[in-house]
Amino acid sequence: MKLESAEADQRLRRARVARLATASASGEPHLVPITYAFDGTRLYFVIDHKPKSSMNVRRLRNIAENPQVSVLVDHYSDDWEALWWVRADGRAEVWVSGDARDSAVELLAGRYPQYREHVPMGPVVAVAVGSISGWSYRG
């Protein structure tokens, strides 16, 4: 059943991890898990201190080429009556400095103690959410 917008919004706010879908200018898809914060209008994630080969990760390169992204949160259970998903679609931009970037990091630190212990110094991605949709077995 299609989720009502208020319920989809709440599930998006409560979930702890999501999958970010980006695509290159040529349309090649890329999907990665992210930790994030959602303020009701924008969804934020940061390139953090976890080991990476570079801070110039593919998701940032894709966003520079094609800023349209999707973020998916979901719940799986062997009890299929408990299944649900929520997708937020929007336009992403990368913030490397400034007050807005710092506020986004504070919002993320409010959700994840790891960010309070080790403040991320990498770029923040802000997704201006244009639409939220969702589905649940039970509604």
Side-chain angles (χ1 to χ4, degrees), residues 3 6 26 61 98:
L3 285 175
S26 65
R61 295 191 308 270

Side-chain angles (χ1 to χ4, degrees), residues 11-12 18 23-24 29 35 44 46-47 84 106 108 111 125:
R11 291 181 189 212
L12 184 59
S24 67
T35 54
Y44 307 96
V46 65
I47 305 304
W84 62 264
E106 287 178 22
L108 286 158
R111 283 179 53 92
V125 175

Side-chain angles (χ1 to χ4, degrees), residues 46-61 101 120-123:
V46 65
I47 305 304
D48 60 27
H49 61 280
K50 291 190 296 295
K52 297 167 185 56
S53 59
S54 162
M55 287 301 249
N56 184 25
V57 292
R58 184 166 170 198
R59 68 200 87 153
L60 294 181
R61 295 191 308 270
R101 182 217 169 268
M121 301 308 292

Side-chain angles (χ1 to χ4, degrees), residues 37-127:
F38 178 57
D39 68 7
T41 303
R42 289 183 188 265
L43 187 142
Y44 307 96
F45 67 92
V46 65
I47 305 304
D48 60 27
H49 61 280
K50 291 190 296 295
K52 297 167 185 56
S53 59
S54 162
M55 287 301 249
N56 184 25
V57 292
R58 184 166 170 198
R59 68 200 87 153
L60 294 181
R61 295 191 308 270
N62 282 357
I63 289 167
E65 295 176 9
N66 176 2
Q68 294 304 125
V69 302
S70 289
V71 176
L72 179 75
V73 297
D74 65 297
H75 174 74
Y76 176 81
S77 172
D78 285 336
D79 172 5
W80 282 16
E81 291 185 14
L83 301 176
W84 62 264
W85 60 262
V86 173
R87 189 183 74 226
D89 298 320
R91 186 172 184 85
E93 57 185 11
V94 178
W95 299 342
V96 295
S97 62
D99 292 341
R101 182 217 169 268
D102 296 343
S103 294
V105 170
E106 287 178 22
L107 193 61
L108 286 158
R111 283 179 53 92
Y112 302 100
Q114 297 88 338
Y115 290 159
R116 290 190 294 277
E117 296 165 8
H118 193 276
V119 178
M121 301 308 292
V124 164
V125 175
V127 178

